[in-house]
Amino acid sequence: VYSYDDERIRYFVNAVNLGGSNLVAQWNHCLEFATGSYIVLAADDDLYHPDFLKNCIALAEKYPCVNLIRSRVAQIDSFNNLIGIDSLLPEYCSKYEYFYHWMAGNSFTCIGNLMFKTNVLKEKKFVDFPCAYGSDTATAIMMSREGVANTAEMLFSFRHSSIHLSGSKLYYKEKLRAN
């Protein structure tokens, strides 16, 4: 990160590895540093299409009342092979439509494909479930109160991996408690 000469990029190091003990606490800690109108939490092994932000910002401008912008998701494996795709949701969904699509299994939710309105998320915070399991989904549903704007294009690729909390064969008890 130090190789970039861009004043918009700031790098912070925690005194202790907060995310190692509570991932959602780390997400909420990151909110303290957010200064823009919107926030995206990016994981180190997922992929963003070059037009991700441009398209999400366009939706935010078109639907200024929404607190959540969502990109469609391509699911990939460790070798970048496509293993799943998201359904196409309407460009704008009410909170009820969004929840219906989630319950029907039409919308794949992970923290990285979401763009949140910063001031609302700072007030509400990320939902903290054990091992962060389902925290992304619960936060998205919470933030959908004013509706959700969805991209038509798959602008985000979620990498399935056994090293992720969601893909790990560990923590079954905690994941069941979160559910």
Side-chain angles (χ1 to χ4, degrees):
V1 77
Y2 295 115
S3 67
Y4 292 97
D5 184 24
D6 187 330
E7 62 190 31
R8 298 171 301 172
I9 299 173
R10 297 178 299 150
Y11 183 69
F12 301 94
V13 178
N14 293 336
V16 296
N17 181 1
L18 185 58
S21 60
N22 184 325
L23 184 57
V24 178
Q26 174 61 30
W27 294 350
N28 284 320
H29 177 65
C30 288
L31 291 175
E32 296 173 25
F33 303 103
T35 59
S37 300
Y38 293 90
I39 185 170
V40 174
L41 281 181
D44 61 353
D45 60 348
D46 297 326
L47 304 174
Y48 288 88
H49 187 280
D51 290 336
F52 175 87
L53 285 177
K54 181 180 99 178
N55 289 17
C56 288
I57 293 296
L59 285 173
E61 290 171 350
K62 185 173 181 180
Y63 302 100
C65 65
V66 303
N67 300 320
L68 182 65
I69 312 296
R70 185 185 163 280
S71 170
R72 284 184 69 203
V73 179
Q75 298 170 55
I76 58 174
D77 66 12
S78 301
F79 305 102
N80 294 336
N81 296 312
L82 184 65
I83 58 173
I85 60 170
D86 218 1
S87 295
L88 177 62
L89 273 58
E91 186 176 88
Y92 173 84
C93 288
S94 72
K95 64 182 178 181
Y96 302 109
E97 289 174 293
Y98 178 69
F99 187 68
Y100 169 81
H101 284 294
W102 178 78
M103 289 290 294
N106 298 332
S107 89
F108 186 85
T109 302
C110 51
I111 204 66
N113 75 312
L114 305 170
M115 187 173 86
F116 303 95
K117 196 174 276 183
T118 304
N119 65 333
V120 177
L121 188 57
K122 280 185 171 188
E123 176 188 319
K124 295 182 177 289
K125 306 286 188 217
F126 288 99
V127 177
D128 192 357
F129 288 151
C131 295
Y133 197 72
S135 293
D136 45 8
T137 302
T139 300
I141 291 168
M142 173 186 72
M143 293 291 288
S144 72
R145 181 177 174 180
E146 308 303 328
V148 180
N150 300 282
T151 68
E153 304 83 13
M154 287 183 285
L155 303 173
F156 177 79
S157 295
F158 176 81
R159 187 178 309 280
H160 284 276
S161 167
S162 61
I163 64 169
H164 288 148
L165 283 172
S166 56
S168 171
K169 298 202 185 304
L170 303 173
Y171 312 109
Y172 284 125
K173 184 177 178 181
E174 292 84 351
K175 290 177 181 180
L176 288 171
R177 205 164 34 121
N179 278 332

